[in-house]
Amino acid sequence: RQVGLAGSSAIITAVLRGLMEFYGVSIPREVLPSLILSVETEEIGIQAGLQDRVCQVYEGLVYMDFDRALLEARGHGKYESLDPALLPRLYIAYRQDLSKISGVYHSNLRARWENKDPQVLEAMKTFARLAEEGRGCLLRRDHAKLARLMDENFNTRAGITKLDPRNVQMVELARSLGVCAKYAGSGGSIVGICEDDAIFARLVQEFERMGCKVLRPVVA
């Protein structure tokens, strides 16, 4: 399960939508992410997951449930668009000198998942629980608990794989200023909740010293 914002796979999604419009073909929206992923994995050779593809297709804020039984029965997960107005005020910090190809990250975890690595299997259950609880927090507007879940998400991630110390440094800096932080993708950027403008100003100042940029995303 995942709660995410629209992200990568934009080119394939745009091309596919253009072809569908040109040829007058209609493909159910819930099927598109799996189709896009198959193009990336089978035609391009990128190891990736469904999350970014669902975000790109649905856009905005979306809750995703990738329960195995759902995937096997329907051929796709459960995807639910949520009102972006439910979101607290967020920040995104990103490095200008660092990026990581998600396929490198995913290929290692996929291999460990396929080999039934107990640590990875347990972490995936935790991620699913965090997303489900996070959805509930959004609906209840319980932003304090949502912040704790975001921190737990990063802690779980750090427990199953070696992370770039420059990314970890970003998370530690944000937490030292009293705000939550987790990866916004596979590396190079983090996201968290920052309701206070004064703290946000400090985030901008301190991250600039690290060579990072900070922005407030607008989700519509």
Side-chain angles (χ1 to χ4, degrees):
R1 300 182 182 94
Q2 185 90 359
V3 178
L5 307 177
S8 62
S9 303
I11 295 176
I12 295 176
T13 304
V15 170
L16 183 57
R17 282 175 168 164
L19 290 171
M20 289 167 58
E21 182 178 357
F22 182 81
Y23 289 105
V25 175
S26 178
I27 300 176
R29 186 167 65 160
E30 61 270 18
V31 175
L32 282 175
S34 297
L35 179 59
I36 293 167
L37 180 61
S38 69
V39 172
E40 293 187 276
T41 57
E42 297 173 17
E43 302 297 330
I44 304 177
I46 297 174
Q47 291 296 320
L50 277 168
Q51 290 94 328
D52 288 354
R53 289 83 207 155
V54 175
C55 287
Q56 195 63 46
V57 169
Y58 280 74
E59 301 183 333
L61 179 66
V62 57
Y63 169 76
M64 301 164 245
D65 187 343
F66 299 109
D67 181 77
R68 182 182 294 274
L70 285 176
L71 291 171
E72 292 178 351
R74 303 179 180 179
H76 59 80
K78 176 185 177 183
Y79 312 134
E80 176 188 358
S81 293
L82 299 175
D83 183 356
L86 295 170
L87 286 169
R89 299 180 75 192
L90 303 173
Y91 75 90
I92 292 177
Y94 63 94
R95 302 196 69 102
Q96 297 178 288
D97 62 347
L98 178 66
S99 63
K100 187 176 184 67
I101 299 173
S102 63
V104 176
Y105 177 79
H106 285 296
S107 60
N108 173 264
L109 285 183
R110 182 177 295 276
R112 292 172 64 188
W113 169 267
E114 291 174 348
N115 290 329
K116 301 188 184 303
D117 182 323
Q119 191 179 32
V120 172
L121 294 179
E122 190 60 33
M124 294 305 171
K125 292 179 182 178
T126 298
F127 289 136
R129 173 182 59 79
L130 292 174
E132 186 173 7
E133 291 184 16
R135 173 183 176 276
C137 288
L138 287 171
L139 296 176
R140 296 191 308 273
R141 298 186 184 275
D142 186 350
H143 298 163
K145 182 177 179 180
L146 180 62
R148 295 194 296 271
L149 296 178
M150 294 176 77
D151 278 335
E152 187 179 351
N153 177 283
F154 175 80
N155 295 343
T156 303
R157 186 186 195 117
I160 61 172
T161 188
K162 183 178 180 180
L163 302 178
D164 191 306
R166 292 170 293 178
N167 287 330
V168 176
Q169 185 183 26
M170 295 172 68
V171 172
E172 291 175 344
L173 173 57
R175 290 181 174 182
S176 74
L177 296 175
V179 297
C180 64
K182 66 179 290 294
Y183 273 28
S186 295
S189 62
I190 63 172
V191 62
I193 299 170
C194 183
E195 304 274 17
D196 188 282
D197 286 332
I199 295 178
F200 180 77
R202 289 190 62 197
L203 278 174
V204 172
Q205 183 180 45
E206 295 299 324
F207 271 103
E208 283 184 347
R209 291 177 181 173
M210 192 187 288
C212 303
K213 293 293 185 181
V214 182
L215 58 85
R216 281 203 185 278
V218 177
V219 185

